[in-house]
Amino acid sequence: MKLGTLILFYLLAAFSPLVLVWALGAEPRPLRQELASGLGMLAFSMILVEFILSGRFKRVSNGVGMDVTMRIHQLMARTALAFALVHPFLYQGTLVGGPRPWDRDRQLTLTTDFSDLASGIAAYVLLPSLVALAIGRRHLDYKYETWRLMHGIGALLIALLLLHHTVYAGRYGAQPAMTWFWLAMTGVAVGSLLFVYCVVPLRQRSRPWRVTSVKQRTPLQWELTVAPEGHGGLAYKAGQFVWLNVGHSAFSMGENPFSISSAPAAGPEVSLLIKELGDFTRTVGQIPVQTCAYLDGPYGNLSVEGRGEPGVALIAGGVGLAPLLGILRQMRLTDDPRQRRLVYGNRVEEQIACRAELEQEDHVFVLSEPTGDWAGERGMIDAALLDRTFTSGEFRSWVFVLCGPKVMLDVVEDHLIARGTPAHRILSERFNYD
């Protein structure tokens, strides 16, 4: 799926309840009330579409890129939150002064029955909390697996609360056609959640893997290799990534995304370059050989397979080397005739992973805190370094593959555009989106 197709699908799905309401021809009300209802319905439909957008569906993420998909997910979730927060305040004019009897013709849109309003009030409180926890996740002191479980349960609870509120407290939601529409849309959203947490693990149980080696590449980086057990392995492209679950049940929340550092041409074993950053990654070096593992993937579109550019520029920062290492290995094993050049940045010399292997390539190592005897490039991967490394012709004709910290990616992407590199020749993968 291309980005334009994804955006079109999102807009069609999000605005479909408004189109259906218009088609049903309900009696119009004052603009303020119609706007309130419209924002409420739009917020609900956007929240339901978010389930599918974040559901790790390969047809979506592999065409657009998981980082782009998740960025859209974040932006749209915050937009839905804004619509939801504004929505009830636009009803003030319908509820001021005098008695508020049951609205037989549903012209007020809101009922005075608190049981019908309570679900909306609960969702109104939970939704900002869910978004705030997602934004601040990296600064909170709890495990990724805990946050993921809380996020999934919270999103499911909000969807069910909004379904009840929309059908029982809304003027339009009570119409039979709209009730069935919301039931169907909520069913699809919840179904996508069940697919990720139930169907995918069931498939994984029949396709287990075993850890065959754990090799230390730098003081804080390990390359973990797994082999398929009783099946043919994983059909992937160099540069993609998987969700790794090692040492747990297939239904465990203990899975994390890691880029594949091995090459498809090397055989069925899959290697992952992992840096010690969190609770699980700090234990990678202690994982025994023959430990059972499960892989969900492949995901991502950071691949140069089938492209026609004469050269491939690989620009990595830190552990961003992982997918680019897979691309280098694949090009080497398949005797790829395209030129290739690696620019690899780290803080200190000891952080250069797989150094002996990379030194066989056309490479540029960059250190931000080098020692006095360092003979390579010093500083950051910036515009000046890129100009020293690539010619004007290479900027215009090569494909540039980037992976690393956001600051590095922003600098490199901006300079590539300035030097005439077409956007479709810049492939990047970000670690975070805020």
Side-chain angles (χ1 to χ4, degrees):
M1 181 181 290
K2 301 300 182 182
L3 179 59
T5 305
L6 175 61
I7 293 174
L8 179 61
F9 162 78
Y10 196 106
L11 292 176
L12 289 174
F15 282 91
S16 56
L18 302 184
V19 174
L20 182 56
V21 165
W22 174 80
L24 291 173
E27 187 70 23
R29 299 164 301 161
L31 176 61
R32 183 169 175 169
Q33 295 180 40
E34 293 293 352
L35 182 59
S37 292
L39 287 178
M41 289 188 289
L42 189 56
F44 186 24
S45 62
M46 290 174 68
I47 289 169
L48 295 178
V49 177
E50 292 291 280
F51 280 79
I52 300 173
L53 195 63
S54 62
R56 281 159 50 178
F57 293 102
K58 295 176 185 176
R59 183 167 294 183
V60 176
S61 64
N62 290 3
V64 177
M66 182 65 83
D67 55 344
V68 175
T69 303
M70 293 309 297
R71 185 56 175 162
I72 295 174
H73 168 64
Q74 289 180 326
L75 292 174
M76 292 300 100
R78 295 167 198 181
T79 303
L81 172 62
F83 290 165
L85 293 178
V86 171
H87 148 74
F89 291 100
L90 296 176
Y91 286 121
Q92 287 179 343
T94 66
L95 296 178
V96 293
R100 291 180 277 183
W102 174 256
D103 179 21
R104 296 181 183 277
D105 298 324
R106 302 190 69 82
Q107 291 301 304
L108 292 180
T109 300
L110 291 181
T111 171
T112 55
D113 188 339
F114 182 76
S115 64
D116 293 339
L117 296 176
S119 54
I121 295 171
Y124 192 86
V125 173
L126 284 175
L127 183 58
S129 302
L130 189 75
V131 174
L133 287 173
I135 294 174
R137 176 177 65 84
R138 295 179 182 275
H139 306 289
L140 299 174
D141 188 23
Y142 54 80
K143 295 182 178 180
Y144 167 77
E145 294 82 2
T146 303
W147 170 82
R148 186 181 169 208
L149 179 61
M150 291 170 54
H151 195 71
I153 293 175
L156 177 60
L157 181 58
I158 288 170
L160 296 179
L161 288 170
L162 288 178
L163 175 64
H164 177 272
H165 176 71
T166 302
V167 171
Y168 287 96
R171 174 196 185 195
Y172 295 121
Q175 299 182 49
M178 289 302 298
T179 298
W180 283 110
F181 170 84
W182 287 120
L183 284 170
M185 200 166 178
T186 305
V188 171
V190 174
S192 70
L193 200 65
L194 293 175
F195 177 83
V196 172
Y197 290 103
C198 297
V199 176
V200 170
L202 279 173
R203 292 178 178 176
Q204 291 176 343
R205 285 186 63 186
S206 64
R207 296 175 62 84
W209 297 70
R210 292 286 172 184
V211 175
T212 57
S213 70
V214 182
K215 298 178 181 178
Q216 190 167 18
R217 296 304 187 187
T218 72
L220 293 177
Q221 290 188 77
W222 303 81
E223 191 162 29
L224 181 144
T225 302
V226 295
E229 186 174 71
H231 58 92
L234 187 70
Y236 69 96
K237 297 178 181 179
Q240 292 188 295
F241 71 93
V242 295
W243 288 77
L244 171 69
N245 176 355
V246 58
H248 304 289
S249 160
F251 293 91
S252 170
M253 290 287 176
E255 59 175 0
N256 294 272
F258 296 108
S259 295
I260 302 172
S261 59
S262 56
E269 288 191 334
V270 171
S271 297
L272 310 165
L273 190 63
I274 301 172
K275 184 176 181 179
E276 295 183 20
L277 291 172
D279 297 299
F280 166 71
T281 56
R282 281 193 285 265
T283 67
V284 171
Q286 305 166 23
I287 297 175
V289 171
Q290 292 303 308
T291 299
C292 182
Y294 299 98
L295 300 183
D296 176 25
Y299 295 99
N301 64 346
L302 202 69
S303 171
V304 298
E305 183 177 309
R307 299 186 67 99
E309 291 89 354
V312 178
L314 304 164
I315 303 177
V319 75
L321 173 71
L324 310 193
L325 184 59
I327 293 172
L328 278 174
R329 289 170 169 173
Q330 179 72 1
M331 294 182 72
R332 187 164 58 243
L333 287 174
T334 58
D335 295 322
D336 195 306
R338 290 173 291 183
Q339 291 180 267
R340 56 183 182 264
R341 186 173 305 137
L342 171 70
V343 179
Y344 180 25
N346 284 286
R347 186 174 60 85
V348 294
E349 191 170 357
E350 291 75 19
Q351 293 176 338
I352 302 176
C354 305
R355 182 170 182 174
E357 178 182 353
L358 297 179
E359 285 178 338
Q360 300 173 25
E361 302 286 340
D362 181 0
H363 69 280
V364 176
F365 291 153
V366 189
L367 298 183
S368 60
E369 299 179 13
T371 57
D373 59 351
W374 172 250
E377 291 280 354
R378 297 166 178 259
M380 310 296 289
I381 299 178
D382 56 16
L385 173 67
L386 295 175
D387 286 339
R388 292 196 299 272
T389 305
F390 301 100
T391 67
S392 296
E394 290 168 347
F395 276 120
R396 291 192 298 269
S397 62
W398 282 25
V399 58
F400 286 77
V401 188
L402 325 174
C403 189
K406 180 180 183 299
V407 173
M408 184 204 83
L409 294 184
D410 289 342
V411 169
V412 174
E413 288 175 346
D414 289 346
H415 189 64
L416 290 177
I417 294 296
R419 290 302 307 268
T421 307
H424 68 274
R425 288 187 178 148
I426 304 174
L427 310 179
S428 63
E429 189 168 88
R430 281 168 161 76
F431 297 150
N432 53 64
Y433 320 102
D434 287 307

